[in-house]
Amino acid sequence: MEQAIRAIALACIIHPSTKRLLVFEGRDRTRDLTYNRPFGGGIAFGETAEMAVRREVMEEIGVEIVPQRLLTAMQSIFVSENRHRHEIALLVECRFAENSLYAHDIFPDLEGNGEFGFWRSAESQTTLFPDELPQVLASFHLLG
């Protein structure tokens, strides 16, 4: 199987009053690692990062978002589930289209993979991916 670099877009949705980040919890069984990551996924050919995060968040938790700005791009080379991976992640600051959604604590998983959404505090000890994400969000003064 040919290895390829995967381009992804991640939606950085920050709760306006608590400054918590919307994430899901994932699990790498081969490393016995639990982690958090913002919602998002692969960028399709001809799709912008902003289009990709809107589509991915709608598919994953059924919520309409409004991309605000491209924060940065970051590169990750890692092993997950015993597979070598190489990703270029475009981080997009987003907000909910409907402000009433910020009152929700949990966002249901529509894809059936157990990755429901929740608000992660900056103090959480769970690993956050991509690795440099906390520093990027802090540099933009987005986390509380």
Side-chain angles (χ1 to χ4, degrees), residues 30-106:
T30 61
R31 293 189 288 170
D32 193 28
L33 175 68
T34 299
Y35 63 88
N36 296 154
R37 197 195 86 180
F39 286 97
I43 302 171
F45 183 81
E47 190 176 49
T48 66
E50 293 80 5
M51 292 163 64
V53 292
R54 289 184 77 178
R55 176 184 50 77
E56 287 284 344
V57 171
M58 181 59 75
E59 290 172 0
E60 293 167 344
I61 59 172
V63 171
E64 184 178 348
I65 61 169
V66 179
Q68 300 295 289
R69 62 180 166 163
L70 179 64
L71 296 174
T72 194
M74 55 181 39
Q75 179 172 225
S76 299
I77 300 171
F78 58 100
V79 176
S80 176
E81 300 293 331
N82 284 329
R83 291 183 49 210
H84 291 273
R85 299 174 191 259
H86 187 169
E87 292 180 340
I88 304 295
L90 302 178
L91 304 181
V92 182
E93 181 182 8
C94 301
R95 65 172 177 78
F96 288 143
E98 295 292 327
N99 284 336
S100 63
L101 291 169
Y102 290 107
H104 294 247
D105 292 327
I106 301 292

Side-chain angles (χ1 to χ4, degrees), residues 14-21 119-122 141-144:
I14 307 295
H15 194 288
S17 59
T18 66
K19 301 298 183 197
R20 291 178 179 218
L21 175 66
W119 299 107
R120 174 197 162 96
S121 72
H141 307 287
L142 294 175
L143 294 180

